[in-house]
């Protein structure tokens, strides 16, 4: 009897469907009830139903070994080659394996994080670790302790990667160290950010937030020395590389050669507003020691602001920065970078109107030299002058395909004023949750040998990579 | 014997999701859809779940996603007239991934604004980068699964015209058509809304030819702190034969999540206490 009743309930719709006047769709059998509805199911006890996070069975025993130790990370193997010959560099641009190991744990009230790469890099001659440049067999990415001493205050001390600002691969008020070598030779984008050894303090209020980063000893960019990437050397009046490896004078007095970066930020009616200050030095060589011919890192203060908001389904941003080159106030010192005013305007949006999972971004960036007359009149003979204003347009196109397994992207910088360009095509395919493979390139074009991107023309490269994440 | 079954059923779900002024008055389709939206996305003042997704594509290849989702409803404004528990306004979501390993600690922050574009941020821990991202593409895959962004945070009920096409013993069957056809890939969808709880038990999406190409099914339901809650569900793409099965574990409501968790500060520093 009961069964008959249930059958009638479940298939009642079928019987109704035979009535001709019923609208379409009514005649189909209605869905059965899911588990927990319509039967005397046990109410869920939210406490006892907690199941521990299970680790998926791993295919590769090595990753299980690290997982058992509470370590996460990846194994990344990549190789690249120049596409044109460069008389000052090796033809191989990349040949390395990295084992990233990360550890994070809470020792109330502290959170400890360590992330290190064990590196086998065939293109460096020495295995000796250099903690500042990241060279050698170990590259320490993070070793930090974070805590919240007061409810509104966060403090993080130690080696850490720091980022702020609104640009996409353009940095105005982010004066934290960058690794240009990694960026240009085809390491993963995360390596563009080099770590800082710093104290970060954030005070978070209802209206505004203040973050201050103190770096007691200057952390320069991982700048171009010529060892891996050739560049235009103004002293030689030509490109140079391994024939004239740069050994700059890096200020390294703990406490005296320090840096301070600060950001005051808040949200006003959907506009994310921020003001920035930086008191430190040019992050890549910005001057020349006349006596020795060595590159230097002159003093630099930067003041800036940014705004970011949603606009027509996309994200619009504006950022400005005034680069106050403290050792060349008038612009008449030919051996120190002039001051600059930098402006960035950007817009990024998904374009479901054209295709799903398609994102396009455009940025316009201008770098205006201050004291250009003084710069030109004191520029030593033989050094090609730069323009007063350098204009750059960037474009990013990203498309995800095959259920987001395949990611195809192109990022390009084009400078109409310098007549040069830098393209970063990248295709990444996720074989499964653990393995991915990447093919990419770094392609430089330029009419002249000395412009910002044009100087790297002989470094154009393609690379392949495989990564196992665990 | 046959009467016991529906009676037990009614007694079990003691919290009626929809206030009915007597049994004789049937709810309107707008009331039904509003109640389903409330039960599906707005139960409690806030909530947390440990979410696992199993994605199986048409070739049988399996992928997994694991994340913690925190949710907080923005309380109704002072001039709001209705009952506070009926208010379905802005919501804040904090989604932190654990697996797959390459997105471990990657975090989404979403300010959902029904009827408008959401505000979305993405935190990439390796770069310490807080990126504000476009929310124009609401009907694209959420992290490679068969769920769309809109399925996860809820489609605005005002975006469609709803019609009650059938009332069975168990379900309200509602057919919905988009007001803006160009913005969606479906021509219509049909929801089976469970009468006693207003949980959506099944959804069928149809294309212009009237063919069902995508289905949602609630597979397991439980009662958590008095709230009927979907604990397991599946989205199937009938064209690609791909399916995504999502399970919600450790579900809890009314935790008292502070509003400031849903800010940039906590993208950089996970609110461990609240994520368990």
């Amino acid at each position: 009897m009961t069964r008959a009743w249930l059958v009638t309930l479940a298939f009642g719709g079928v019987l109704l469907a035979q009535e001709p006047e019923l609208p379409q769709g009514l005649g189909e059998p209605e869905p059965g009830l899911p588990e927990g509805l319509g039967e005397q199911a046990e109410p869920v006890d939210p406490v006892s139903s907690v199941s521990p996070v299970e680790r998926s069975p791993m295919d590769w025993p090595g990753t299980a070994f690290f997982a058992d130790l509470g370590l996460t990370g990846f194994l990344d193997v990549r190789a690249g080659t120049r596409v044109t010959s460069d008389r000052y560099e090796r033809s191989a641009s990349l040949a390395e394996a990295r084992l990233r190991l990360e550890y994070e744990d809470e020792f109330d009230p502290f959170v400890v994080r360590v992330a290190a790469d064990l590196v086998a890099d065939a293109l460096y001659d020495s295995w000796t670790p250099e903690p500042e440049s990241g060279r050698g067999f170990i590259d320490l990415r993070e070793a930090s302790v974070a805590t919240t001493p007061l409810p509104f205050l966060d403090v993080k001390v130690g080696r850490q990667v720091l980022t702020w600002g609104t640009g996409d691969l353009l940095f105005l008020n982010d004066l934290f160290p960058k690794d240009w070598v990694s960026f240009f030779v085809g390491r993963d984008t995360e390596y563009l950010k080099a770590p800082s050894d710093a104290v970060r303090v954030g005070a978070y209020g209802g209206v505004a937030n203040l973050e201050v980063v103190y770096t007691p000893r200057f952390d320069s960019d991982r700048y171009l020395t010529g060892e891996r990437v050739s560049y235009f050397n103004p002293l030689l009046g030509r490109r140079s590389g391994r024939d004239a490896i740069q050994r700059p004078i890096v200020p390294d007095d703990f406490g005296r050669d320090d840096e301070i970066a600060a950001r005051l930020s808040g949200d006003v009616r959907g506009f994310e507003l921020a003001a920035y200050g930086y008191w430190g030095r040019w992050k890549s060589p910005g001057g020349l020691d006349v006596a020795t011919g060595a590159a230097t890192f002159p003093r630099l203060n930067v003041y800036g602001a940014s705004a970011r908001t949603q606009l027509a389904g996309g994200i619009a941003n504006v950022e400005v920065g005034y680069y106050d080159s403290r050792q060349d106030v008038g612009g008449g010192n030919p051996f120190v970078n002039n001051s600059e005013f930098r402006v960035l305007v950007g817009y990024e949006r998904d374009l479901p109107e054209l295709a799903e999972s398609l994102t396009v971004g455009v940025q316009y960036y201008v770098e205006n030299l201050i004291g250009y007359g003084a710069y030109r009149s004191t520029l030593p003979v033989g050094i090609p002058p730069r323009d007063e204003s350098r204009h750059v347009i960037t474009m990013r196109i990203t498309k995800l395909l095959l259920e987001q397994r395949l990611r195809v992207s192109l990022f390009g910088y084009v400078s109409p004023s310098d007549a040069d360009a830098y393209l970063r095509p990248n295709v990444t395919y996720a074989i499964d949750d653990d393995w991915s493979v990447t093919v990419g390139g770094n392609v430089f074009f330029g009419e002249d040998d000395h412009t910002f991107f044009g100087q790297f023309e002989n470094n154009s490269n393609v690379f392949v990579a495989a990564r196992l994440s665990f | 014997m046959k009467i016991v079954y529906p009676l037990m059923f009614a007694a079990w779900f003691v919290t009626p999701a929809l206030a009915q002024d007597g049994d004789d008055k049937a709810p309107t389709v707008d009331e039904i859809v509003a109640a389903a939206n409330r039960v599906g996305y707005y139960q409690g003042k806030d909530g947390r779940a440990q979410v696992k997704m199993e994605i199986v594509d048409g070739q049988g290849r399996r992928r997994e996603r694991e994340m913690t989702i925190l949710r907080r409803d923005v309380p109704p404004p002072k001039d709001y007239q209705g009952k506070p528990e009926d208010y379905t306004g802005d919501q804040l979501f904090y989604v932190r991934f654990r697996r797959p390993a390459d997105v471990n600690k990657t975090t989404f922050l979403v300010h959902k604004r029904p009827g408008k574009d959401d505000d979305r941020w993405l935190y990439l821990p390796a770069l310490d980068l807080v990126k504000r991202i476009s929310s124009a593409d609401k009907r694209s895959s959420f992290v490679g699964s068969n769920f769309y962004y809109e399925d996860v945070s809820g489609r605005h009920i005002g975006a469609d015209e709803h019609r009650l096409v059938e009332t069975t013993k168990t379900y309200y069957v509602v057919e919905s058509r988009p007001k803006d056809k160009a913005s969606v890939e479906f021509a219509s969808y049909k929801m089976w809304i469970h009468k006693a709880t207003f949980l959506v038990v099944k959804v069928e999406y149809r294309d212009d030819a009237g063919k069902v190409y995508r289905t949602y099914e609630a597979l397991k339901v439980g009662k958590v702190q008095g709230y009927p809650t979907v604990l397991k569900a599946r989205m199937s793409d009938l064209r690609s034969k791909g399916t995504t099965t999502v399970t919600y574990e450790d579900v809890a409501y009314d935790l008292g999540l502070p509003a400031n968790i849903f800010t940039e500060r906590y993208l950089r520093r996970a609110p461990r206490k609240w994520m368990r």
Side-chain angles (χ1 to χ4, degrees):
Chain A
M1 188 62 186
T2 307
R3 174 167 297 182
W5 184 85
L6 282 172
V7 168
T8 309
L9 173 70
F11 295 99
V14 176
L15 301 173
L16 285 172
Q18 288 157 1
E19 305 282 338
E21 68 271 21
L22 280 173
Q24 187 203 349
L26 268 189
E28 293 149 36
E30 63 179 21
L33 285 165
E35 182 187 344
L37 272 188
E39 61 201 70
Q40 186 71 344
E42 291 293 312
V44 172
D45 174 351
V47 178
S48 68
S49 71
V50 177
S51 66
V53 177
E54 292 164 33
R55 294 204 170 269
S56 312
M58 304 273 183
D59 301 326
W60 193 59
T63 57
F65 170 76
F66 293 121
D68 290 345
L69 292 173
L71 299 172
T72 57
F74 54 77
L75 176 67
D76 184 293
V77 181
R78 51 186 70 209
T81 180
R82 283 185 164 69
V83 293
T84 54
S85 75
D86 185 335
R87 60 188 295 195
Y88 306 114
E89 299 290 347
R90 293 168 163 141
S91 58
S93 52
L94 191 62
E96 64 184 32
R98 283 173 182 264
L99 177 64
R100 160 71 56 85
L101 296 174
E102 286 183 30
Y103 168 80
E104 179 177 318
D105 209 348
E106 187 173 13
F107 302 92
D108 200 37
F110 300 106
V111 175
V112 175
R113 260 183 63 77
V114 180
D117 285 5
L118 298 173
V119 187
D121 187 332
L123 300 182
Y124 279 129
D125 306 322
S126 165
W127 289 72
T128 312
E130 294 177 19
E132 292 304 321
S133 71
R135 292 171 47 172
F137 75 87
I138 186 162
D139 180 6
L140 187 62
R141 301 287 301 172
E142 177 149 12
S144 70
V145 178
T147 189
T148 302
L150 296 166
F152 63 89
L153 202 69
D154 288 345
V155 178
K156 191 172 186 181
V157 181
R159 177 159 283 211
Q160 53 193 302
V161 172
L162 296 159
T163 300
W164 63 38
T166 65
D168 183 7
L169 300 183
L170 282 174
F171 304 94
L172 284 77
N173 291 294
D174 179 335
L175 277 294
F176 303 114
K178 318 291 184 308
D179 183 345
W180 298 109
V181 178
S182 290
F183 191 58
F184 291 155
V185 301
R187 293 194 182 112
D188 189 85
T189 314
E190 82 162 85
Y191 291 97
L192 171 59
K193 299 295 294 194
S196 299
D197 296 315
V199 179
R200 179 192 185 119
V201 179
Y204 302 90
V207 180
N209 310 309
L210 178 66
E211 289 149 290
V212 178
V213 176
Y214 179 70
T215 306
R217 195 178 70 164
F218 175 63
D219 278 323
S220 73
D221 286 345
R222 293 178 175 181
Y223 48 84
L224 306 175
T225 62
E227 191 177 0
R228 296 287 291 265
V229 176
S230 64
Y231 65 101
F232 186 81
N233 187 327
L235 288 182
L236 301 174
R238 59 163 173 84
R239 290 193 179 99
S240 71
R242 296 175 66 82
D243 60 317
I245 290 175
Q246 191 171 199
R247 309 222 181 274
I249 303 165
V250 185
D252 60 356
D253 263 9
F254 194 91
R256 211 165 65 91
D257 294 319
D258 57 359
E259 299 171 274
I260 298 174
R263 175 171 74 154
L264 182 68
S265 62
D267 187 295
V268 180
R269 295 177 173 274
F271 285 85
E272 290 173 284
L273 305 178
Y276 308 83
Y278 170 77
W279 298 267
R281 295 172 176 278
W282 289 91
K283 302 294 288 190
S284 280
L288 193 70
D289 181 67
V290 185
T292 62
T296 60
F297 296 85
R299 292 202 171 275
L300 172 74
N301 296 347
V302 179
Y303 311 97
S306 70
R308 183 162 65 174
T309 189
Q310 191 170 159
L311 184 72
I315 306 303
N317 64 295
V318 176
E319 188 165 342
V320 295
Y322 172 64
Y323 279 54
D324 183 9
S325 192
R326 298 302 300 155
Q327 289 168 240
D328 187 14
V329 173
N333 183 346
F335 304 110
V336 175
N337 282 359
N338 275 37
S339 297
E340 291 176 11
F341 191 65
R342 300 184 177 186
V343 180
L344 168 75
V345 182
Y347 187 69
E348 185 173 297
R349 193 184 191 277
D350 298 335
L351 287 176
E353 297 85 352
L354 290 182
E356 62 150 12
S357 301
L358 173 70
T359 308
V360 174
V362 182
Q363 298 180 110
Y364 172 70
Y365 167 76
V366 61
E367 218 174 68
N368 202 53
L369 218 60
I370 294 166
Y372 189 69
Y375 161 78
R376 284 301 293 265
S377 61
T378 57
L379 191 70
V381 175
I383 295 184
R386 51 166 289 181
D387 294 339
E388 184 169 9
S389 296
R390 175 171 164 251
H391 301 262
V392 178
I393 294 158
T394 78
M395 180 126 191
R396 175 189 287 280
I397 304 171
T398 306
K399 170 83 175 136
L400 305 176
L401 299 142
L402 306 177
E403 291 155 336
Q404 300 190 2
R405 287 169 181 272
L406 183 65
R407 183 176 173 281
V408 180
S409 77
L410 176 66
F411 189 94
Y413 302 84
V414 177
S415 172
S417 57
D418 276 358
D420 63 3
Y422 170 29
L423 302 181
R424 294 170 54 84
N426 188 295
V427 178
T428 297
Y429 180 71
I431 297 167
D432 56 26
D433 283 342
D434 303 330
W435 282 97
S436 68
V437 288
T438 298
V439 178
N442 294 276
V443 187
F444 302 90
F445 303 93
E447 261 175 29
D448 300 311
D449 293 350
H450 65 269
T451 58
F452 192 87
F453 296 121
Q455 64 181 319
F456 304 125
E457 203 165 30
N458 293 339
N459 297 291
S460 290
N461 61 75
V462 292
F463 63 89
V464 293
R467 180 178 284 215
L468 169 67
S469 301
F470 56 86
Chain B
M1 189 66 193
K2 67 181 178 185
I3 305 168
V4 175
Y5 171 77
L7 270 186
M8 282 193 323
F9 187 91
W12 194 62
F13 290 106
V14 286
T15 321
L18 179 70
Q20 286 166 306
D21 310 327
D23 286 340
D24 51 337
K25 201 171 167 188
T28 67
V29 67
D30 288 341
E31 287 172 325
I32 293 165
V33 171
N37 182 45
R38 209 154 54 229
V39 171
Y41 296 98
Y42 285 88
Q43 299 206 101
K45 292 183 174 67
D46 59 36
R48 177 192 59 216
Q50 309 295 346
V51 179
K52 290 184 183 180
M53 284 183 170
E54 186 188 34
I55 307 164
V56 181
D57 70 9
Q59 298 170 51
R61 294 178 298 183
R62 188 172 159 279
R63 291 184 292 166
E64 281 183 314
R65 305 286 179 264
E66 279 181 29
M67 69 207 88
T68 302
I69 298 185
L70 303 177
R71 184 206 90 215
R72 185 180 194 273
D73 297 353
V74 175
K78 287 202 177 75
D79 57 352
Y80 175 72
Q81 300 290 320
K83 280 187 274 180
E85 62 268 27
D86 288 352
Y87 181 72
T88 52
D90 289 7
Q91 289 182 307
L92 311 171
F93 292 90
Y94 182 101
V95 182
R96 187 171 163 96
F97 287 89
R98 210 165 31 246
R99 297 197 65 84
D102 65 338
V103 296
N104 186 24
K105 299 188 179 96
T106 297
T107 309
F108 268 122
L109 180 63
V110 179
H111 285 202
K112 171 183 154 187
R113 308 182 194 283
K116 296 182 203 146
D117 284 325
D118 299 341
D119 283 326
R120 286 188 205 158
W121 290 262
L122 178 64
Y123 177 64
L124 301 171
L127 285 157
D128 186 45
L129 177 67
V130 177
K131 191 172 162 56
R132 195 160 173 177
I133 54 175
S134 167
S135 58
D137 199 358
K138 294 177 176 60
R139 299 196 69 77
S140 66
S141 162
F142 177 73
V143 297
S145 75
N146 296 99
F147 286 87
Y148 294 153
Y149 277 90
E150 209 169 58
D151 300 319
V152 178
S153 64
R155 179 170 169 82
H156 181 42
I157 56 173
D160 305 309
E161 304 276 4
H162 307 284
R163 197 164 59 90
L164 182 65
V165 292
E166 191 189 356
T167 303
T168 71
K169 245 188 162 56
T170 318
Y171 298 108
Y172 298 113
V173 185
V174 174
E175 193 175 74
S176 306
R177 290 177 187 278
K179 290 176 182 168
D180 177 10
K181 278 187 185 158
S183 68
V184 292
E185 86 293 351
F186 60 80
S188 71
Y189 62 95
K190 191 188 263 191
M191 288 186 285
W192 279 262
I193 298 168
H194 188 240
K195 282 167 81 173
T197 61
F198 289 93
L199 282 174
V200 175
V201 169
K202 185 174 183 181
V203 186
E204 286 181 351
Y205 295 86
R206 284 169 195 271
D207 59 19
D208 289 329
K211 194 167 170 357
V212 177
Y213 66 94
R214 185 171 186 257
T215 61
Y216 166 89
E217 301 152 273
L219 301 177
K220 187 182 174 190
V221 168
K223 199 172 191 187
V224 180
Q225 294 166 250
Y227 299 108
T229 302
V230 174
L231 299 174
K232 189 175 186 182
R234 178 178 298 146
M235 188 70 84
S236 306
D237 181 334
L238 307 185
R239 291 172 183 154
S240 73
K241 313 284 183 217
T243 64
T244 299
T245 306
V246 58
T247 54
Y248 301 89
E249 295 179 0
D250 185 25
V251 179
Y253 296 105
D254 295 319
L255 297 154
L257 296 179
N260 71 357
I261 282 177
F262 302 87
T263 59
E264 183 178 332
R265 176 188 186 185
Y266 286 92
L267 289 175
R268 289 203 159 84
R269 180 178 87 82
R272 288 170 162 261
K273 175 186 164 191
W274 300 105
M275 300 181 50
R276 189 107 50 95

